[in-house]
Amino acid sequence: MLLNIVYIIVGVALVLWGADRLTEGASSLARGMRVPEIVIGLTIVAAGTSAPELFVSLVSALKGTSDLAVGNVIGSNIFNTMLIVGCSALVAPMVVSKTTVKKDIPFAVVASFMLFALCFDDMNSPHLWGNDISRSDGIILLAGFLVFMIYTFRAAKNDGLMPTPEELDENSELPKDYSKLWRNLAFIALGLACLIIGSNLFVDAASYVAHRYGVRQSVIGLTIVAGGTSLPELATSVVAAYKGRSSIAIGNVIGSNVFNILLILGTTAVVHPMRIMGITIVDLMMMLVSVGILWLFAYTKYAVSRREGALLVLGFLAYMAWLLYLL
């Protein structure tokens, strides 16, 4: 048992370190190829921070532990919206831009509704037991992700963040830097290897612990797995809030939530359809309500105050207490 706990810790560490190496290598490679910074941020960096959830969910589904995969995404979104935003707001009140309130957060709400609806194969039954997130559901989620990326790039272009055709031409004329090519490729390969090894180690150990103590895999996914894979977002958002860059903190959370549902569950379902066994309607409602509450808080004064942050943290602790009560 002690050995499996060590495996869980080592697995989380490998996944997080691997995601960091992968992101660093890919970003450096893209800069050497003269890819604009905004494109790197919207693609490579965003995907890199979601890599832990992607690999853990994918490995979980392939190993037949679908509740770990689904619980990981749902738990990560609850963790992001309630604990990360709550802690960040306690550190410093978070100012939220009108664009985030009117466009970005609603997109996260729509993505949450999509997952909520797709989890119910039989709308006449209030139970999720035995329902599937099928390949066709995965394709729908990936289509939603494509729409989100198109919207994100267009919004960046309209805000003047994307380079103009003239700037792209000037940038393309600059000599490409291949001096760190092999280093970057090594970082990418090492990051992928750590993600794969760490995910396998983590999922196997977490499954063993769940079986050993009779804990539902969904609860492990909603708590330990979700918390472990969300550590990068927690660190990034709290530090950003402390430095007064709350737009980065809130954008990190909203982007991660959308990526988790549309890209991660979409990809996982296409590769291996997932049967829901232990996830309950309470878990889905908590995910949906949490992003709705965040939207309400942000909409009132275009900010999340310390008091509202405290309410989010208390709500998260109450949900964790509920899960522990069900054990």
Side-chain angles (χ1 to χ4, degrees):
M1 180 62 196
L2 182 60
L3 185 61
N4 277 278
I5 293 176
V6 172
Y7 285 161
I8 289 176
I9 296 171
V10 173
V12 171
L14 279 174
V15 166
L16 298 182
W17 190 82
D20 186 59
R21 294 283 76 75
L22 175 65
T23 305
E24 182 180 342
S27 298
S28 181
L29 182 64
R31 290 188 187 97
M33 298 298 292
R34 305 306 179 194
V35 176
E37 288 285 335
I38 183 64
V39 176
I40 296 172
L42 290 173
T43 55
I44 296 171
V45 175
T49 56
S50 295
E53 287 91 344
L54 174 60
F55 275 81
V56 169
S57 292
L58 191 56
V59 170
S60 297
L62 291 173
K63 287 180 176 288
T65 53
S66 296
D67 275 346
L68 275 179
V70 181
N72 175 31
V73 167
I74 294 174
S76 290
N77 281 19
I78 296 171
F79 192 97
N80 289 346
T81 307
M82 304 199 77
L83 186 64
I84 293 179
V85 173
C87 289
S88 300
L90 285 174
V91 170
M94 304 175 69
V95 177
V96 186
S97 69
K98 290 185 178 181
T99 301
T100 298
V101 172
K102 294 182 178 180
K103 295 180 180 179
D104 297 333
I105 299 180
F107 215 112
V109 172
V110 170
S112 300
F113 263 118
M114 286 177 64
L115 178 58
F116 190 92
L118 292 175
C119 283
F120 285 93
D121 295 326
D122 183 6
M123 297 303 291
N124 295 319
S125 173
H127 305 292
L128 300 179
W129 186 277
N131 287 352
D132 293 314
I133 301 180
S134 63
R135 281 195 173 90
S136 58
D137 293 337
I139 292 171
I140 292 172
L141 292 173
L142 288 177
F145 177 73
L146 180 61
V147 171
F148 174 70
M149 290 306 296
I150 292 173
Y151 155 75
T152 301
F153 273 96
R154 285 185 176 176
K157 184 177 181 180
N158 292 336
D159 292 339
L161 299 176
M162 293 293 289
T164 63
E166 292 77 14
E167 291 172 332
L168 284 174
D169 289 339
E170 291 176 4
N171 203 41
S172 64
E173 292 175 0
L174 295 173
K176 293 180 171 57
D177 182 8
Y178 295 103
S179 61
K180 297 181 180 179
L181 176 63
W182 292 110
R183 169 187 172 275
N184 294 331
L185 291 176
F187 269 14
I188 293 171
L190 182 61
L192 285 172
C194 287
L195 281 166
I196 294 169
I197 295 170
S199 298
N200 275 283
L201 200 64
F202 186 85
V203 170
D204 287 342
S207 299
Y208 174 84
V209 172
H211 179 74
R212 176 71 174 77
Y213 286 97
V215 180
R216 288 182 293 127
Q217 289 179 349
S218 58
V219 174
I220 297 292
L222 289 163
T223 54
I224 298 174
V225 179
T229 56
S230 294
L231 286 177
E233 286 86 354
L234 176 61
T236 301
S237 296
V238 170
V239 170
Y242 177 75
K243 292 182 177 180
R245 302 168 69 184
S246 55
S247 60
I248 292 178
I250 200 79
N252 182 42
V253 166
I254 298 303
S256 178
N257 281 15
V258 175
F259 264 69
N260 286 347
I261 294 174
L262 300 181
L263 177 63
I264 293 171
L265 275 187
T267 301
T268 304
V270 169
V271 174
H272 192 286
M274 294 169 286
R275 172 152 292 191
I276 302 171
M277 303 301 289
I279 301 297
T280 67
I281 193 171
V282 174
D283 304 320
L284 282 173
M285 285 299 299
M286 193 67 188
M287 176 191 68
L288 195 55
V289 169
S290 64
V291 72
I293 291 174
L294 174 59
W295 193 13
L296 177 65
F297 286 169
Y299 189 80
T300 50
K301 296 179 180 179
Y302 292 102
V304 180
S305 66
R306 282 194 171 94
R307 180 179 298 179
E308 291 168 339
L311 289 174
L312 289 172
V313 172
L314 288 174
F316 177 80
L317 294 177
Y319 174 63
M320 289 295 106
W322 164 257
L323 291 178
L324 292 175
Y325 172 77
L326 294 177
L327 295 181

